[in-house]
Every structure is written in structure tokens, then in C-alpha cells.
Amino acid sequence: MEAEAKEEGRVEQALQVRQFENPPSAEDFSTEIEPTNVPAVFHGAVKDWKAFSKWNPFNGGLDYLEEKAGSAVVEAMHSKSAPVFFGDLRSHERVPILNTESKERCQLEILREDIQMPLFIGMKTLASVNFWMNRTRSRSSNHYDPHHNLLCVVAGSKEVVLWPPSACPFLYPMPIYGEASNHSAVDIENPNLSFHVRAKHSKQYSQTIVLHSGDALFIPEGWFHQVDSDELTIAVNFWWKSNLMSRMLEHMDGYYLRRILSRLVDKEMDQILHNSMVCNFKGRENHAVTHEDSEGIHVFDSNHQREGSKVNRDKHGLLQQLEPHALHLLYELLSLVHDAVKVSGQDQAVDSNYSKDLSVNPRAEYNQITTDSSCLMEHDPVANIFWAVEPLLLQRILLVMVNHFPRTLEALILHMLSPTAAEVLTRKFDEMDQLSTKEQQDEFYQLFYSIFDDQYAAMDSILNGKELFNFQAFRNVLDQYLGVSTNKPK
């Protein structure tokens, strides 16, 4: 019978399970299948084994096994949550036919003559060959293995649900320091979404494979899989270390760990900002600048002609050149700062002495990130403005503030810049640099930082906020990929 495959939701084309009617050659497997780290089904790959006929429970197979290995003392799986078996080593042990990683004698090595290593993995150095048998329907909970795996069904059938390693955040892996660290904490069929919120997306990344007797499934290392076995199902699997892991030098582990964590943190930061924008713009309508907004600019302008001694003359008339949309954004930024001053009971022009009175607290906003990073910009208008504007337009708005509202800009950067806003602003600075010459970059940053009494304090405010944002992304990575939460348990 052919193996059946069903896709659940959106699975990337490159990650879809491949189907082979005939086993590949050893060369094809090693060069075209194994390196992709994507599962593959090989129909009828083990039908030529002696075990295929001799172990068949419906054709005297159980009597054969009892006669062949009946005197062997083995350790079998047991579980208080049967028929589901979890990964805690205190509740079960696998039964090996061959184990090259241990010097202990394998209890069922006598059965090895009934099976043969498939030719396409014949050159692999095996870690172990394992025997799996169940009398009633059973399930092994969702987990991944630290080895490449070829699962061969000798009798009965198995349904295997697969997730790529990239789906790890939706599966809530157990803590990396635990005995069951390679298992998911989520009940896939009935997830507790109040506790495992991200699990609602898990099915979008899953694929389901049904294996019948004689079929084999290649499960690459790191792929999560949940296996349901029918009654009287017997299987054998082969484990071997991947080329990648075999070639990793131990003295490089620390470096690889830092590089991988850094890449995951970068992706998480992008995801946080993406989720925030999706949430913020959902149902939001664009609106044009009003006459009142334009008048507001002139009011601010007349009230702040005397904002400090470092004001540069606006030689290029940048304020007059701003289009209505940019004027509206400028008005919003000015209003945010001055509204914060009014809340603190201050009526005079903003100056650098108001830090203790301003209402935005980057540490408090950081604490908000730790609890909910999905809608940050909905509650952070400064970050929202920075994100929504094109980089060169933001540069023009900032230059207008340099020339006309320097003390307001100083207060914005030193006292109202949240971690999210700091991250967005530095990204906009990077985009500005890509669109500008070196001379233009130098001129902008010289003007921007010139209005601060302490330029290093301004740089620290931006970079410290950015680091707080990065640190929360790092915490998210620890939680999503390593099962290590730095927050208090609910």
C-alpha cells in the first residue's frame, strides 16, 4: 500500500515531504536527500527483509519472536498517561537491537539477522538500531531526535505528524536542562491556548504521513514528530549522526552558539516589530493633515523662537518645504513631548531639566515588552511615527526640529525614547545611510547631535534603549527555542 501524505496549512515548498516509489542509491541519498534536512518517504523499502514476513503478527510472527528472543530480558515503555508515552526517562526505555554508543550488550541483537540496513544508508556509521512494538494503539508524544532517523514499519501502520525545526516556537519545547528537553509541552490535539498562546499556529507548519508495512520514513535531526501506532505494530529505526554534527569541532561550540543565538535574536526583533505593525494598522484609516494641525505648527514655532542658543538658521527653508503629511507627523511629535510636560504640570518650554517629570519610562515600557510583544506600537506613538515615515522624510523632520525645536528634540531623545522607539530609530538611521553619501551622512549627524548639551548622553539614550529591546528579543528566543523562561510562571 502507498504511504499517504496530508499537508496541514501553509508548508513551505522547500520543506514538503518528498515521496519515492523506489529507494534511492546511496549517492543520491547522500547528495540530494540527506543534505536538504527534509523528510522523505520510501515506499516498500523494507519489504525484502526477512522480518517483513517472519514478524507479521497475523502470520505467526509473535510466536516466532517469542521463540527467537523470548528469553531476552528487555526494558519496555510504560506510562501513567497511556496510550501516550512522553520523553521522561524515568517512565520508559527504548529497546535496542544495536547500540554503538554503549558497551552494554543489546538484548535483542539476535534479531539483527532478520533485518538489513537499507542500501542507501549502508555507508553510515550507526549510533543505534531500535526495536519498537506495541500491542494496542499508542502514541509517542511530539519530540525531536538528536540524530538522523530512518523509521521502518515492519508490520501494522503508523501516522507521523511532522514539524520543521523552524516551528519550534509554536511547539513550546521542554526546558533545555530537563530529561525530556527534546519533547514539546503542547497537547497538539487539545492545546491549552491560554497557557501556550503560540500553539494556535502549530498546525500551519505540520505535515501528516501515514506509513504502512514495508515503508520507511527519513526524519532529519531536529524535526519534531508525533507518532501514532495502530494495534500490533512493529517497527525498527536506524539512528546516525548527521554530517553537520559530525564535523562540528567542540572548541567552536561557544562561537556557533553565539552566532546562532544572534541570528535568532535578529529574526525575533523583526518579528516583534512586524507583529506590532500588523496589530497597530489593523482597521486604522489614513487621515490628512487639518488646518488646525498646520496652525499648530505655527503656534509651536512662535512660542519656541528662543529655544536655546544652539539653534541653526534654517537656510534651506525645510519647514516651509514639508508637505502636509510630514507637517502632521511633526505636529504629532511636538504634541507628544509638550503633552508630557503638561501632564507633569509644567507650562514653560521644554528643557533638559525635565527628565524626572516626563511620563514615558523606558524601563516600564521594557516590562510591557516582556508580557506582550504583539502590539507594542499601539501604545508607543513615538515608535509608531518613526516606523511609518520614509527614512529621508524622517531625516527632514528631524532637521526641522534641529533648527526650530531643538529643546523639544532633546527631550524626545533623552526622556521619551522607549526601547521600541530606539530600535526603530536606529533602523531608520541605517536606511538613511544607505540612501545618502558619506558627506550627507556626516552633515546630518553633526547637525542632529549638535543640539545636545551632552552628545554622548544622546547616543547612550538611543543605544541603551536599543539594547533593552534586543535583550527582550533574546529572552523570547530562550523561551521559544530552549524552553527557558525568565518571567515568573503564571
Side-chain angles (χ1 to χ4, degrees):
M1 299 178 67
E2 293 186 349
E4 303 165 8
K6 298 179 291 183
E7 286 183 39
E8 303 287 352
R10 305 187 306 272
V11 178
E12 295 180 31
Q13 183 69 31
L15 298 180
Q16 290 184 5
V17 177
R18 299 171 66 183
Q19 305 277 338
F20 293 87
E21 294 298 330
N22 298 302
S25 66
E27 181 179 0
D28 287 345
F29 181 81
S30 295
T31 59
E32 299 180 10
I33 299 174
E34 183 180 11
T36 65
N37 277 351
V38 175
V41 177
F42 307 105
H43 302 306
V46 299
K47 282 188 174 181
D48 58 346
W49 285 4
K50 291 181 181 179
F52 184 73
S53 59
K54 291 183 178 294
W55 295 4
N56 187 341
F58 301 102
N59 191 29
L62 297 183
D63 293 334
Y64 172 82
L65 289 172
E66 182 177 10
E67 180 182 348
K68 192 84 170 177
S71 61
V73 178
V74 300
E75 293 179 338
M77 287 186 175
H78 63 281
S79 173
K80 296 179 181 179
S81 57
V84 180
F85 298 95
F86 294 94
D88 193 335
L89 294 179
R90 290 166 290 195
S91 65
H92 73 265
E93 294 288 344
R94 70 178 186 272
V95 181
I97 297 174
L98 171 69
N99 189 345
T100 61
E101 296 182 335
S102 172
K103 295 181 180 180
E104 295 181 6
R105 180 178 178 274
C106 297
Q107 304 97 324
L108 297 181
E109 192 167 1
I110 192 172
L111 296 179
R112 191 176 183 185
E113 62 186 49
D114 290 343
I115 65 175
Q116 63 186 65
M117 193 185 311
L119 294 178
F120 57 89
I121 63 168
M123 300 301 292
K124 307 298 179 185
T125 300
L126 298 180
S128 66
V129 181
N130 304 304
F131 176 87
W132 307 89
M133 178 178 176
N134 57 281
R135 295 190 61 182
T136 61
R137 293 181 62 87
S138 65
R139 166 179 293 173
S140 64
S141 62
N142 193 14
H143 66 285
Y144 66 86
D145 295 315
H147 298 90
H148 282 336
N149 181 4
L150 186 70
L151 175 61
C152 306
V153 178
V154 179
S157 63
K158 290 178 178 286
E159 181 179 270
V160 185
V161 187
L162 296 153
W163 291 263
S166 55
C168 188
F170 310 111
L171 299 175
Y172 291 84
M174 300 291 281
I176 193 68
Y177 51 78
E179 290 291 343
S181 61
N182 63 324
H183 280 246
S184 168
V186 177
D187 182 339
I188 298 301
E189 292 187 348
N190 299 293
N192 183 349
L193 296 181
S194 62
F195 194 74
H196 299 128
V197 180
R198 298 186 303 271
K200 63 184 177 182
H201 303 294
S202 64
K203 287 189 176 180
Q204 298 176 5
Y205 301 91
S206 68
Q207 300 176 74
T208 301
I209 301 296
V210 178
L211 300 173
H212 300 284
S213 55
D215 295 335
L217 170 64
F218 168 56
I219 306 176
E221 64 177 351
W223 275 72
F224 283 85
H225 50 285
Q226 176 176 281
V227 183
D228 286 281
S229 301
D230 283 344
E231 296 178 356
L232 291 175
T233 294
I234 303 175
V236 171
N237 84 295
F238 301 85
W239 275 338
W240 70 95
K241 190 177 292 188
S242 69
N243 290 334
L244 175 64
M245 296 304 298
S246 298
R247 295 170 182 171
M248 287 186 70
L249 303 175
E250 287 190 16
H251 73 273
M252 296 294 290
D253 285 352
Y255 168 73
Y256 292 142
L257 175 62
R258 293 180 65 87
R259 283 295 303 270
I260 292 171
L261 283 175
S262 177
R263 185 161 66 175
L264 289 174
V265 168
D266 287 343
K267 290 172 60 178
E268 178 62 17
M269 289 192 295
D270 290 342
Q271 191 63 45
I272 290 175
L273 293 178
H274 172 75
N275 290 344
S276 298
M277 292 310 301
V278 169
C279 178
N280 188 53
F281 284 107
K282 188 176 182 181
R284 181 178 177 183
E285 296 181 357
N286 293 327
H287 58 279
V289 63
T290 63
H291 176 71
E292 181 180 356
D293 293 334
S294 299
E295 289 297 322
I297 295 293
H298 295 299
V299 171
F300 276 124
D301 192 14
S302 61
N303 287 342
H304 298 85
Q305 291 288 339
R306 298 179 299 277
E307 272 200 358
S309 60
K310 294 186 179 180
V311 179
N312 296 295
R313 294 182 179 275
D314 190 353
K315 297 180 180 179
H316 303 290
L318 290 176
L319 178 60
Q320 288 70 33
Q321 294 175 17
L322 289 181
E323 56 269 28
H325 173 63
L327 282 172
H328 176 69
L329 295 176
L330 173 60
Y331 178 77
E332 285 189 346
L333 286 174
L334 298 174
S335 297
L336 288 170
V337 178
H338 289 271
D339 286 349
V341 174
K342 290 179 182 178
V343 169
S344 66
Q346 304 292 338
D347 294 324
Q348 63 266 51
V350 176
D351 63 42
S352 59
N353 296 323
Y354 291 170
S355 61
K356 63 180 180 180
D357 297 320
L358 291 176
S359 61
V360 172
N361 184 338
R363 294 278 176 180
E365 197 270 354
Y366 162 75
N367 290 332
Q368 178 190 348
I369 300 178
T370 67
T371 57
D372 181 12
S373 59
S374 61
C375 298
L376 293 180
M377 292 193 197
E378 183 178 11
H379 309 289
D380 192 335
V382 174
N384 186 20
I385 292 172
F386 288 166
W387 183 269
V389 67
E390 293 295 325
L392 292 183
L393 181 56
L394 177 60
Q395 184 182 75
R396 290 167 57 196
I397 292 173
L398 293 174
L399 288 175
V400 167
M401 295 185 73
V402 165
N403 286 281
H404 292 273
F405 314 103
R407 300 283 69 81
T408 305
L409 177 60
E410 183 179 41
L412 175 67
I413 298 300
L414 293 180
H415 313 307
M416 291 190 66
L417 203 63
S418 68
T420 306
E423 172 64 24
V424 175
L425 181 60
T426 56
R427 290 183 180 221
K428 290 297 179 178
F429 282 167
D430 290 341
E431 293 176 15
M432 293 176 195
D433 292 346
Q434 294 174 7
L435 298 171
S436 308
T437 64
K438 183 63 168 62
E439 291 75 14
Q440 291 170 331
Q441 295 171 26
D442 293 342
E443 181 182 7
F444 167 72
Y445 290 118
Q446 182 177 3
L447 289 171
F448 178 82
Y449 286 109
S450 67
I451 61 100
F452 296 94
D453 294 329
D454 185 346
Q455 297 185 10
Y456 292 103
M459 294 179 186
D460 284 345
S461 178
I462 296 173
L463 296 180
N464 289 343
K466 177 181 175 65
E467 287 184 356
L468 278 175
F469 185 87
N470 294 0
F471 180 62
Q472 178 49 36
F474 172 72
R475 287 169 57 133
N476 290 356
V477 167
L478 293 183
D479 178 31
Q480 295 173 15
Y481 291 89
L482 303 182
V484 179
S485 176
T486 53
N487 295 325
K488 292 181 179 179
K490 298 179 180 178

mmCIF file of all heavy atoms in Angstrom, residues 219-236:
data_model
loop_
_atom_site.group_PDB
_atom_site.id
_atom_site.type_symbol
_atom_site.label_atom_id
_atom_site.label_comp_id
_atom_site.label_asym_id
_atom_site.label_seq_id
_atom_site.Cartn_x
_atom_site.Cartn_y
_atom_site.Cartn_z
ATOM 1 N N ILE A 219 13.531 10.875 8.832
ATOM 2 C CA ILE A 219 13.221 12.029 9.689
ATOM 3 C C ILE A 219 14.546 12.699 10.049
ATOM 4 O O ILE A 219 15.318 12.160 10.845
ATOM 5 C CB ILE A 219 12.481 11.613 10.971
ATOM 6 C CG1 ILE A 219 11.236 10.787 10.641
ATOM 7 C CG2 ILE A 219 12.098 12.851 11.783
ATOM 8 C CD1 ILE A 219 10.511 10.250 11.868
ATOM 9 N N PRO A 220 14.842 13.850 9.469
ATOM 10 C CA PRO A 220 16.120 14.502 9.772
ATOM 11 C C PRO A 220 16.191 14.937 11.231
ATOM 12 O O PRO A 220 15.178 15.145 11.894
ATOM 13 C CB PRO A 220 16.115 15.722 8.841
ATOM 14 C CG PRO A 220 15.097 15.421 7.782
ATOM 15 C CD PRO A 220 14.055 14.591 8.470
ATOM 16 N N GLU A 221 17.411 15.083 11.726
ATOM 17 C CA GLU A 221 17.597 15.553 13.095
ATOM 18 C C GLU A 221 16.883 16.891 13.287
ATOM 19 O O GLU A 221 16.826 17.720 12.388
ATOM 20 C CB GLU A 221 19.085 15.709 13.406
ATOM 21 C CG GLU A 221 19.793 16.764 12.560
ATOM 22 C CD GLU A 221 21.247 16.960 12.934
ATOM 23 O OE1 GLU A 221 21.663 16.396 13.956
ATOM 24 O OE2 GLU A 221 21.950 17.667 12.200
ATOM 25 N N GLY A 222 16.313 17.076 14.466
ATOM 26 C CA GLY A 222 15.686 18.347 14.785
ATOM 27 C C GLY A 222 14.237 18.480 14.365
ATOM 28 O O GLY A 222 13.552 19.389 14.827
ATOM 29 N N TRP A 223 13.737 17.573 13.503
ATOM 30 C CA TRP A 223 12.342 17.648 13.093
ATOM 31 C C TRP A 223 11.464 17.055 14.193
ATOM 32 O O TRP A 223 11.648 15.907 14.612
ATOM 33 C CB TRP A 223 12.121 16.877 11.783
ATOM 34 C CG TRP A 223 12.434 17.697 10.567
ATOM 35 C CD1 TRP A 223 13.667 18.070 10.133
ATOM 36 C CD2 TRP A 223 11.495 18.249 9.637
ATOM 37 N NE1 TRP A 223 13.560 18.817 8.983
ATOM 38 C CE2 TRP A 223 12.240 18.940 8.652
ATOM 39 C CE3 TRP A 223 10.101 18.214 9.524
ATOM 40 C CZ2 TRP A 223 11.627 19.607 7.577
ATOM 41 C CZ3 TRP A 223 9.496 18.869 8.460
ATOM 42 C CH2 TRP A 223 10.249 19.558 7.501
ATOM 43 N N PHE A 224 10.505 17.846 14.655
ATOM 44 C CA PHE A 224 9.549 17.333 15.630
ATOM 45 C C PHE A 224 8.626 16.325 14.958
ATOM 46 O O PHE A 224 8.239 16.500 13.807
ATOM 47 C CB PHE A 224 8.712 18.480 16.207
ATOM 48 C CG PHE A 224 9.433 19.297 17.238
ATOM 49 C CD1 PHE A 224 10.265 20.351 16.863
ATOM 50 C CD2 PHE A 224 9.280 19.023 18.587
ATOM 51 C CE1 PHE A 224 10.927 21.102 17.814
ATOM 52 C CE2 PHE A 224 9.931 19.776 19.548
ATOM 53 C CZ PHE A 224 10.763 20.816 19.160
ATOM 54 N N HIS A 225 8.287 15.272 15.685
ATOM 55 C CA HIS A 225 7.361 14.280 15.133
ATOM 56 C C HIS A 225 6.569 13.611 16.252
ATOM 57 O O HIS A 225 7.111 13.282 17.304
ATOM 58 C CB HIS A 225 8.096 13.225 14.296
ATOM 59 C CG HIS A 225 9.280 12.598 14.968
ATOM 60 N ND1 HIS A 225 10.483 13.248 15.135
ATOM 61 C CD2 HIS A 225 9.450 11.362 15.525
ATOM 62 C CE1 HIS A 225 11.339 12.454 15.745
ATOM 63 N NE2 HIS A 225 10.732 11.296 16.011
ATOM 64 N N GLN A 226 5.295 13.462 16.003
ATOM 65 C CA GLN A 226 4.399 12.728 16.886
ATOM 66 C C GLN A 226 3.949 11.484 16.140
ATOM 67 O O GLN A 226 3.491 11.580 15.001
ATOM 68 C CB GLN A 226 3.191 13.587 17.264
ATOM 69 C CG GLN A 226 2.155 12.856 18.110
ATOM 70 C CD GLN A 226 1.035 13.770 18.540
ATOM 71 O OE1 GLN A 226 1.170 14.552 19.471
ATOM 72 N NE2 GLN A 226 -0.103 13.679 17.849
ATOM 73 N N VAL A 227 4.081 10.316 16.771
ATOM 74 C CA VAL A 227 3.835 9.046 16.083
ATOM 75 C C VAL A 227 2.682 8.301 16.752
ATOM 76 O O VAL A 227 2.731 8.009 17.950
ATOM 77 C CB VAL A 227 5.103 8.162 16.093
ATOM 78 C CG1 VAL A 227 4.851 6.879 15.300
ATOM 79 C CG2 VAL A 227 6.299 8.931 15.519
ATOM 80 N N ASP A 228 1.659 8.001 15.959
ATOM 81 C CA ASP A 228 0.536 7.173 16.405
ATOM 82 C C ASP A 228 0.642 5.809 15.749
ATOM 83 O O ASP A 228 0.751 5.726 14.518
ATOM 84 C CB ASP A 228 -0.796 7.824 16.046
ATOM 85 C CG ASP A 228 -1.120 9.013 16.923
ATOM 86 O OD1 ASP A 228 -1.571 8.788 18.050
ATOM 87 O OD2 ASP A 228 -0.902 10.168 16.484
ATOM 88 N N SER A 229 0.615 4.766 16.554
ATOM 89 C CA SER A 229 0.760 3.403 16.038
ATOM 90 C C SER A 229 -0.539 2.631 16.189
ATOM 91 O O SER A 229 -1.200 2.696 17.235
ATOM 92 C CB SER A 229 1.881 2.667 16.791
ATOM 93 O OG SER A 229 3.111 3.353 16.662
ATOM 94 N N ASP A 230 -0.905 1.890 15.132
ATOM 95 C CA ASP A 230 -2.073 1.017 15.209
ATOM 96 C C ASP A 230 -1.767 -0.194 16.084
ATOM 97 O O ASP A 230 -0.625 -0.415 16.491
ATOM 98 C CB ASP A 230 -2.476 0.556 13.807
ATOM 99 C CG ASP A 230 -3.222 1.641 13.041
ATOM 100 O OD1 ASP A 230 -3.675 2.607 13.687
ATOM 101 O OD2 ASP A 230 -3.336 1.531 11.809
ATOM 102 N N GLU A 231 -2.799 -0.990 16.353
ATOM 103 C CA GLU A 231 -2.612 -2.205 17.139
ATOM 104 C C GLU A 231 -1.617 -3.139 16.452
ATOM 105 O O GLU A 231 -1.565 -3.229 15.229
ATOM 106 C CB GLU A 231 -3.949 -2.932 17.313
ATOM 107 C CG GLU A 231 -4.977 -2.143 18.109
ATOM 108 C CD GLU A 231 -6.295 -2.874 18.217
ATOM 109 O OE1 GLU A 231 -6.426 -3.957 17.599
ATOM 110 O OE2 GLU A 231 -7.193 -2.377 18.917
ATOM 111 N N LEU A 232 -0.834 -3.837 17.264
ATOM 112 C CA LEU A 232 0.137 -4.819 16.783
ATOM 113 C C LEU A 232 1.006 -4.243 15.656
ATOM 114 O O LEU A 232 1.079 -4.783 14.552
ATOM 115 C CB LEU A 232 -0.586 -6.083 16.304
ATOM 116 C CG LEU A 232 -1.238 -6.919 17.415
ATOM 117 C CD1 LEU A 232 -2.035 -8.075 16.807
ATOM 118 C CD2 LEU A 232 -0.175 -7.451 18.361
ATOM 119 N N THR A 233 1.649 -3.140 15.973
ATOM 120 C CA THR A 233 2.574 -2.522 15.023
ATOM 121 C C THR A 233 4.002 -2.783 15.478
ATOM 122 O O THR A 233 4.330 -2.649 16.658
ATOM 123 C CB THR A 233 2.320 -1.013 14.908
ATOM 124 O OG1 THR A 233 1.035 -0.801 14.322
ATOM 125 C CG2 THR A 233 3.371 -0.340 14.031
ATOM 126 N N ILE A 234 4.829 -3.178 14.542
ATOM 127 C CA ILE A 234 6.248 -3.440 14.826
ATOM 128 C C ILE A 234 7.088 -2.587 13.879
ATOM 129 O O ILE A 234 6.793 -2.516 12.673
ATOM 130 C CB ILE A 234 6.595 -4.932 14.638
ATOM 131 C CG1 ILE A 234 5.712 -5.809 15.534
ATOM 132 C CG2 ILE A 234 8.069 -5.174 14.949
ATOM 133 C CD1 ILE A 234 5.918 -7.297 15.314
ATOM 134 N N ALA A 235 8.112 -1.955 14.412
ATOM 135 C CA ALA A 235 8.971 -1.102 13.585
ATOM 136 C C ALA A 235 10.409 -1.185 14.074
ATOM 137 O O ALA A 235 10.685 -1.581 15.211
ATOM 138 C CB ALA A 235 8.477 0.337 13.619
ATOM 139 N N VAL A 236 11.305 -0.819 13.190
ATOM 140 C CA VAL A 236 12.730 -0.725 13.501
ATOM 141 C C VAL A 236 13.196 0.638 12.999
ATOM 142 O O VAL A 236 12.766 1.094 11.937
ATOM 143 C CB VAL A 236 13.530 -1.851 12.812
ATOM 144 C CG1 VAL A 236 15.033 -1.612 12.963
ATOM 145 C CG2 VAL A 236 13.136 -3.205 13.381
#
